[in-house]
Amino acid sequence: MRIGELAAKTGVSVRALRYYEEQELLVSQRSPSGQRHYADAAVGRVELIRQLYAAGLSSRTILGILPCVVTGEVTPELLARLTAERDRIDERVRDLSATRARLDAIIATSSGSLAAGKPCEVPASSAV
């Protein structure tokens, strides 16, 4: 499939797909006219790359992980790296959950104040 088709199937911009290629995360074949062509498996690979980026992994880390995903083989070093990344993600989830809980408390307090006719006044210097 051509780059536009891959972009449409994955929801990723053409520019992002070109970046993935620059980072050696994605491979295409070139037609005689220079157009990029991707195998059908590229859809799943792009989805995985997006998930790993969304989890906060760098392109270098993703590049190191992808061979393991393809072959199923892993070295002790790679396993340690994967475990460390998972632990980092777990910490982010805990931090985000705590932030959400604090925001929920603020919303509850603010809703109560508003219902009691005591809205929170935002100082003019704090207004966005």
Side-chain angles (χ1 to χ4, degrees), residues 3 12 70 75 81 86 98 102 106 111 122 125 128:
I3 194 166
V12 173
V70 173
T75 64
R81 192 166 164 192
R86 192 243 3 250
R102 290 171 67 189
I106 293 167
S111 296
V122 178
S125 62
V128 177

Side-chain angles (χ1 to χ4, degrees), residues 2-22 26 36 38 46:
R2 292 179 21 200
I3 194 166
E5 294 172 88
L6 182 58
K9 286 184 177 185
T10 60
V12 173
S13 70
V14 168
R15 182 177 177 193
L17 294 174
R18 288 185 187 125
Y19 175 77
Y20 294 170
E21 279 197 60
E22 288 173 15
L26 188 62
R36 291 174 168 90
Y38 299 91
V46 169

Side-chain angles (χ1 to χ4, degrees), residues 15-28 36 38 45-46 48-49 52-53 58-68 70:
R15 182 177 177 193
L17 294 174
R18 288 185 187 125
Y19 175 77
Y20 294 170
E21 279 197 60
E22 288 173 15
Q23 299 301 307
E24 300 178 2
L25 302 173
L26 188 62
V27 177
S28 68
R36 291 174 168 90
Y38 299 91
R45 188 171 182 106
V46 169
L48 175 61
I49 292 167
L52 295 172
Y53 270 128
S58 69
S59 57
R60 186 181 323 167
T61 299
I62 295 170
L63 185 60
I65 290 171
L66 286 176
C68 172
V70 173

